[in-house]
Structure formats: C-alpha cells, structure tokens
Amino acid sequence: MNLPSHVNHSNSVQPLVLGIESSCDETGVGIVRGTTLLTNTVSSSMDEHVRFGGVIPEIASRAHLDAFVPTLQEALHGAGVTLDDIDAIAVTSGPGLAGALMVGVCAAKALSVATGKPLYAINHLVAHVGVGLLDGNVGGGAAGLGAGGRLPENLGALLVSGGHTEILRIRSITDDVEMLGSTIDDAAGEAYDKVARLLGLGYPGGPAIDKLAKKGNAKAIRFPRGLTQPKYMGTVEEPGPHRYDWSFSGLKTAVARCVEQFEARGEDVPLADIAAAFQEAVVDVITSKAVLACRENGITDLLLGGGVAANSRLRELTGQRCSSAGITLHVPPLALCTDNGAMVAALGSQLIMAGISPSGVAFAPDSSLPVTTVSV
C-alpha cells in the first residue's frame, strides 16, 4: 500500500505508531508496529472521582496534565523505542469530555511539531474496533478479530461503556462506519453508576453490581426493557423509530421506585435481587437488540467492546445469543476493552497503511464527534 510521504519508509509496511487517549478519566499511551502491540500504558484517575460518584471533568483534565509525561515515558521505555523511532502519532479527537480531550490533543500537537512526525486525529469509538486487529498484546493473548490485519467482511461492533451504547456496521474501518442503533438517553455504564448509587454500592457501579448480582435472583423482580414495545420496534418490513435503539432512563427510575416501596413498607431492601434483576434487564435488552440488528443487516461477526464489556453477565449472554444466531463473537482482552492508547495507535496504523493523509495540527477536538467520522 502507498503511505503518506511523511512516514518513515524504513517501516512503511509496519509503521510504528504512538497513540494517545484522554477522552475521559484514563490517560492512555500505546505503541503499535503495524498490527503488533508493543506496549499499552494507562494511568487512571478513577480513584479521584470516587467520592463524587462519577467523573468530574475538571478533575479528569488536571489528572491528564499530571499523568501524560510519566505515562509517555513509561510507554516508550516499555516498547524499547524513542520518539525519534516513531513514524506517526495518533490521538483521540472525540467524542469525549471537552477539557480532557483538549489535554491529549494539545500534547499530541506539541509532540508532532517538536518531532516533525505526522499527526492523525481519530475517532475514539472506531478505535474500540481497531484494537481488535492487533495480533498480540503485552501480557495476554491475541485480540483475534482480523487475521493478518484484515477485518471480517460482514462485521458489526457492539460498544458498551459509561458514555456510549451503540451497534455499528463496519464496512471499512478507515472510511465506512455506519451507526445502526444507540441509546437515546443514559448509556449502560451511566445506568449502572446511578443504580449503584441508589443501592449504596459506591462508584464505579459496574463492578459492584456485577459482583452483588451473583448473590441475587434475577427473576425475583421484573424490571422494564426500554423501547421494546411494538410501536418502537415495528417490523422488518416497516421498522419502528427505535428498532435497534436502547433507553435506560426508565429502568433507572423503576429501580428507584422499587427501593422506595420496600423502604415505605419498612422492609429490608433486597439489594442482591435488585442488582441481579437490574443487570438482567440491561444485558437482556442490549443483547437481544444487538443480535436482531446483526441478523437483519447481514452481520456475521460481532466485536464486543467498551468498559462494560468487562461485565460477566453481558459477556455470557452475548456469547450465548450470538452462538444461537450463528454470529461469531470477538471480545478483546479486558485491558483492551476499556479506554487505552493502544486502540488509538491501532486505528492510526490502519489509516496510515490505507494511505490516508495526516490530519495536521489545525483540527480542534470535538466532544460530540459522530462515529461516521473515522478521522478528522
């Protein structure tokens, strides 16, 4: 493939790419050579947000400022390379928290200007798919999505995180990504955090609810599955307005009312049963709609990514339903599911190998960058 002239042609087939991620509360720096992961270094500020019950943008931005240089140095040392060895730099330009994005983008621009390396501004969400192309990772097995750096022909992606819940169709990871469905209010991860707060479980809510749910009975309480009524679903011939979309705000309210009813009666709140029933409602509707979207759009391979991909019940039920539908499920190692620099470097590498020109330094971060825009 022809590459931009800016790239070091000594590694033109396997470009050495530095990836920078700062869209939320993780400062990530990853280094990739072609489709091989050399290092994935992450510094999280999650502990600084615990007492607030969620990510505070200003705190996250300041944490990125403090963490970036040490994280960069650790990544370069871990990969055994220097900035001079790097062929290109890739950075998350959106979507994400505006202030947090600004820190990473400004750092990447400074490195690009100082070193003369080409800079690629990439989409954080598409990068979650790009990480599946890595054929190895530090301390773990292969991500295993595409052999030899090639994606399956009929690929979809189910991204489930604190800020996003969506199903994508990937025709080309570098220039053709289509949104099939998304949440219309809270993302699944947000719903977990809010319900965990209602149940007194603390932050982050996902791991706490997942752990408690194992002790409860998911069938003890029936919580609603949002946007599953016929008026929203429609039919194959006449799809409804939200056939592949999700909504979790009503579910969150139902949990709050459930807790209030137990307390009003002076009864102990069955926390484990509520956690199990809530989690089942979330993963049931996510997996059923995702598989429906895959079946109706000819998707035969599905990547599950995002921080909530660490949820044991989501992984289990997604695997079961994909298997029943004849869909091959791909789940990258957990360290590569959450936000990280390796996924940014991986997508940057794909853009370079596809011959796409660098972004330059004139772009601005975009907190609401649409998933259809792979690179800026």
Side-chain angles (χ1 to χ4, degrees):
M1 297 181 179
N2 295 322
L3 303 179
S5 59
H6 308 71
V7 174
N8 182 344
H9 285 274
S10 63
N11 290 317
S12 60
V13 177
Q14 296 289 311
L16 186 64
V17 183
L18 174 74
I20 298 170
E21 155 62 24
S22 69
S23 64
C24 191
D25 62 339
E26 282 98 5
T27 306
V29 178
I31 299 176
V32 166
R33 188 184 297 281
T35 59
T36 299
L37 175 58
L38 302 184
T39 187
N40 181 36
T41 306
V42 178
S43 174
S44 176
S45 62
M46 182 178 294
D47 290 345
E48 299 179 45
H49 306 282
V50 169
R51 65 192 178 102
F52 300 103
V55 175
I56 305 301
E58 177 66 15
I59 292 176
S61 300
R62 291 180 179 272
H64 287 308
L65 281 171
D66 293 337
F68 179 73
V69 171
T71 306
L72 172 64
Q73 292 173 334
E74 183 180 344
L76 290 169
H77 178 75
V81 301
T82 68
L83 283 174
D84 286 339
D85 299 322
I86 298 296
D87 292 316
I89 300 167
V91 63
T92 293
S93 63
L97 302 175
L101 288 169
M102 184 68 73
V103 176
V105 167
C106 288
K109 288 182 178 182
L111 286 175
S112 177
V113 171
T115 62
K117 308 296 183 180
L119 177 61
Y120 289 80
I122 63 96
N123 190 301
H124 165 90
L125 299 177
V126 184
H128 274 296
V129 183
V131 78
L133 283 169
L134 296 176
D135 53 19
N137 67 86
V138 178
L145 178 60
R150 294 183 179 181
L151 290 173
E153 287 188 6
N154 302 304
L155 175 66
L158 173 59
L159 304 182
V160 190
S161 69
H164 303 275
T165 304
E166 49 206 13
I167 180 78
L168 312 176
R169 174 160 51 190
I170 316 293
R171 292 190 178 92
S172 167
I173 197 169
T174 59
D175 60 11
D176 193 348
V177 176
E178 178 186 2
M179 173 88 76
L180 296 179
S182 66
T183 178
I184 65 171
D185 41 57
D186 287 351
E190 288 177 295
Y192 268 90
D193 288 339
K194 292 175 180 178
V195 167
R197 193 178 308 137
L198 287 171
L199 301 181
L201 300 180
Y203 175 86
I209 288 179
D210 194 16
K211 181 178 179 181
L212 183 59
K214 291 180 171 64
K215 303 175 183 177
N217 177 9
K219 297 181 179 179
I221 304 166
R222 173 74 181 184
F223 286 127
R225 275 66 168 162
L227 301 183
T228 57
Q229 299 91 334
K231 65 178 179 179
Y232 298 122
M233 296 294 292
T235 63
V236 178
E237 293 76 18
E238 297 183 16
H242 296 295
R243 188 167 179 81
Y244 306 140
D245 293 333
W246 295 277
S247 170
F248 300 107
S249 61
L251 171 59
K252 175 195 64 181
T253 302
V255 173
R257 297 293 172 264
C258 178
V259 171
E260 290 172 359
Q261 289 168 6
F262 278 105
E263 292 176 338
R265 295 194 297 264
E267 301 176 8
D268 291 336
V269 179
L271 296 180
D273 287 348
I274 292 176
F278 161 76
Q279 176 160 277
E280 194 65 21
V282 172
V283 301
D284 178 28
V285 73
I286 286 178
T287 56
S288 63
K289 287 207 169 195
V291 170
L292 178 68
C294 289
R295 294 179 67 173
E296 293 182 354
N297 289 275
I299 292 171
T300 56
D301 286 77
L302 180 68
L303 177 133
L304 174 62
V308 184
N311 182 274
S312 62
R313 181 57 179 151
L314 177 61
R315 293 162 73 93
E316 178 186 31
L317 192 57
T318 306
Q320 292 173 354
R321 289 184 167 169
C322 282
S323 178
S324 297
I327 299 167
T328 301
L329 178 65
H330 306 268
V331 185
L334 292 182
L336 298 179
C337 286
T338 54
D339 296 345
N340 61 83
M343 68 185 195
V344 178
L347 180 54
S349 179
Q350 292 298 314
L351 293 171
I352 292 169
M353 291 189 289
I356 293 176
S357 297
S359 306
V361 295
F363 70 92
D366 183 352
S367 59
S368 57
L369 185 68
V371 72
T372 50
T373 302
V374 179
S375 61
V376 178

